[in-house]
Amino acid sequence: MSYLSLENVVKTFNKTEVVKKLSLEIHKGELVSFLGPSGCGKTTTLNMIAGFLEVDGGKIEVDGKPVHLLPPNKREMGMVFQNYALFPHMTVYENVAYGLKLRKVAKSEIKIRVQEALEMVRLSGYEKRYPKELSGGQQQRVSLARALVIKPKVLLLDEPLSNLDAKLRQEMREEIVDIQKKVGITTIFVTHDQEEALAISDRIAVMYEGRIEQVDTPAAIYNYPKTDFVSQFIGEVNHIQGKVLEAYSDKRCKMHFFGNEQIVAIQSVKDSEVHFFIRPEKVQISLGKSNESKEAFLSKVERKMFLGAKTRYILRANDQHLVADISNTVLNPNQIQEGNNVYTFWNPEDLLPSRMVR
Amino acid sequence: MKKKLPKLLFNSVCLLVYTFLLAPIVVVLLSSLTTTEYIVFPPKGLTLRWYTELVDHPEFMQSFTLSILVAFGTAFIATAIGTLASLAVVRREFRGKTAIVQLVGSPLLIPSVVFGVALLQFYSWIGLAASPLALVLGHIILTVPFVMRLVVASLVGFDRSIEQAAMNLGAGSWKVFFQITLPIIKSGVIAGAIFAFITSFDDLTVALFIVSTDVVTLPVRIYTYMQYQYDPIITSVSSIMILFTVALMLVIERVLGVGKVFSSKN
Ligand SMILES: Nc1ncnc2c1ncn2[C@@H]1O[C@H](COP(=O)(O)OP(=O)(O)OP(=O)(O)O)[C@@H](O)[C@H]1O
Ligand SMILES: [Mg+2]
C-alpha cells in the first residue's frame, strides 16, 4: 500500500498554476526521484509536502492520515537542503541534537542517538566543529544526520548534491542510497541531473511544467518513455520522420525512411507522416552491407568525436543529421574517416514513436 | 625596502587617527586628577579630590542614575522595535513599505535641535510632562533607525532555509525566532542595542528641550553646571561616564562574547 500519497495537489503563485493537479503514490521504503527541468515545480512540490507552502488544492497523506493542513513542525519529515542549511551558531553535535532536544528526549539518549547518526554518515569525531569548519560534503552529511536522527516518516532531499564537485557527488549519492536502504526510509530525492536519478532511484517521477509526465523505474523511463517530453529529456535522441507506405491490420506499418523500407510496430494510416525518436547508441553503422544491416541506408560521416569508451559519429543522410554513438570495441574508429559513406541501420524495436503532430 | 614605505605610511596614518580619537578622552581623564581649582592639562599634581567632592553634589548622582535608566530603557525598547521592524522590512512585502522605511529613518536626516523642538511642541500638545518616560520615548524615535540599519545589514543574505530546517525538525515559530534567527543576527542586534544605549546616554541636544528642574540627564547637568562653574568636578563626572561606558562594553563582550560586534558579522 502506498505510504505517502499526493492527490491532485495544486499550487498557484500570482494566478499561475505552478503545480497542476499532481498525484503520486509512494510506497514505504521507496526512493522516488523528482526529475525535471528548472522551474518545473520540484521544489514547490517538496515544500508542500514538508509544509513550508500551503496546498491550494488536493491533499497529501502519510500512512493514511492527511497532513497537508499541519504546520511543518508537526509533520515529522526530515529535510535536507541544497545549501545544507546547518545552524551556523551550533556545533555539529548541537545541530544533530536539535531535533531530539525539541522532542524532549533524555540527555543520555540524545548522546547515544547523535553518536549513532554521526557514525552512520562517517563523521564521528567532528562533534565539536562548527559548520563553517567543514567541507561541503561534510556539511551535507551533517545535514543528513540531522534529518535522520529524529526518525522522520519521510526523508525529503532537495538537490542535496548540486553544490558538490562531480566526484564527490557520485560518492555521496551512493552513500545516501546505502543509508536510505539501511534505514528503510521513504524518500523523495529532487534533482535535475538525470544520471543521478537513473542511478539511485527505485522509481523516477519525471516532471514538466507542474505535472508528472511519467512515473516508472529508471529502465522503463529510459527504454519506454511515455511522452515526447520524457523521450527528449532523458538521454539524448535523434529525431526522425518517415512516411507510412502501408498500414497493416496488426498494428504494424511499412515505413519509408531515408530511401529505405522498414516494418515498424505502430498504428497509423497510409501516407501519413510519422515522427520517431531514436537514441544515439541505438543507431548502428557498418562499412559494408551485412546480413544484419540489410535494411541499411547510406549516410556520410560529417564529424567523428572520440569520447573514450565510445565514438560519436555525426551523420548526414537525405539532408538530415543523425547522431550515432558506437562502442569502440564494436567498431574501431580508425576504420572510419570523416567524409566516408557508411551503412546506417537500426533495430525497428528501438524506435520510440512520437506523439508529435506537425 | 619597497614594501616598507607603504606600511610605514599606513601605520603612521593609523597612529594619527587613533591619537585624535583618543586624545580628548585621555585629556579628560588626566585633568580630572589635577590639584588645581580649575581645569588644566597636563594636570598639576595628582589627587582624587574631585571624585570625593562629588559626594557634596548628589544632583550629579541623581542625573547619572536617570541617564542610565533612560539609556537602558531606550536600548531595550528601541532594539526590540528595531529588530522586529527590520524583520518586517526585509522579509515582507506590504503597501507603503518604502514610505514607512523613509519615515522611520528620518531622524537620521533631521538635525537633532530641530527634532528636540518638534518633540517639545508635540509633548506639550499631547500634554506629556517632562519625565523619564518622555525622554525614553524621544530617544526611541532617535535610535530606532540606528538599530534598523544594523539589524537589516545582518539580515541581508540570511538564508531562510535555516529557519525552515528548524521548523522541519519540530520547532514552532517562537522557538525558531529565539533559538535560530536571533542567535544568528545577534551581532547586529547587540551592535544596535549598544548604539542605542550610547546615543541615549550622551544625548544633550534633544534632552535639553525635554528636561525639567527635577528630571535632568547627566549631559544636561554637566552642560548647565559648566555655564556657572568650570572646576574639575566636570572632568571627574565625565571620567566616570567614560569609565562606565568602557566597563559596560567589557561586560557585554564578556557575557555575550561578541568581540567582532563592530568589525564584521559572524
Ligand atoms: N514564492 C514564489 N512566488 C512566485 N513564484 C514562484 C515562487 N516560488 C516558485 N515560483 C515559481 O514556480 C515555478 C516552480 O518553481 P520551483 O522552485 O518549484 O522549480 P524547481 O523545479 O525546483 O526548479 P529548480 O530546478 O530550478 O530548483 C517557477 O516558475 C518559479 O518561478
Ligand atoms: Mg528547486
Side-chain angles (χ1 to χ4, degrees), chain B residues 30-72:
Chain B
L30 287 181
S31 47
S32 71
L33 300 174
T34 188
T35 48
T36 52
E37 295 286 322
Y38 49 90
I39 299 174
V40 64
F41 184 81
K44 298 201 174 115
L46 290 177
T47 173
L48 286 177
R49 175 185 153 204
W50 301 109
Y51 289 86
T52 47
E53 276 208 8
L54 273 178
V55 178
D56 302 329
H57 291 278
E59 73 274 17
F60 276 114
M61 228 28 236
Q62 268 169 21
S63 295
F64 190 62
T65 321
L66 175 71
S67 275
I68 288 174
L69 284 178
V70 168
F72 268 118

Side-chain angles (χ1 to χ4, degrees), chain A residues 13-14 18 36-45 82 158-159 190 192:
Chain A
F13 285 126
N14 316 323
V18 168
S38 192
C40 70
K42 304 182 294 289
T43 300
T44 306
T45 308
Q82 182 173 2
D158 191 0
E159 307 203 23
V190 168
H192 55 231

Side-chain angles (χ1 to χ4, degrees), chain A residues 73 77 79 83 89 98 103, chain B residues 159 164-165 167-169 179:
Chain A
N73 53 326
M77 304 221 178
M79 181 120 170
N83 44 6
H89 58 297
Y98 187 72
R103 282 166 181 70
Chain B
D159 177 8
Q164 292 188 331
M167 265 185 254
N168 184 251
L169 291 169
Q179 298 176 347

Side-chain angles (χ1 to χ4, degrees), chain A residues 12 101 118 159 195 244 311 342:
Chain A
T12 311
K101 274 189 197 144
L118 287 177
E159 307 203 23
E195 194 205 316
V244 179
T311 300
V342 291

Side-chain angles (χ1 to χ4, degrees), chain A residues 315-351:
Chain A
L315 309 167
R316 191 186 247 319
N318 280 11
D319 275 344
Q320 264 204 58
H321 277 288
L322 271 175
V323 179
D325 286 345
I326 316 277
S327 159
N328 292 338
T329 53
V330 171
L331 183 70
N332 181 351
N334 292 333
Q335 287 183 296
I336 294 174
Q337 304 310 324
E338 287 178 2
N340 284 168
N341 281 320
V342 291
Y343 288 99
T344 309
F345 56 100
W346 51 70
N347 189 336
E349 280 126 52
D350 290 333
L351 289 173

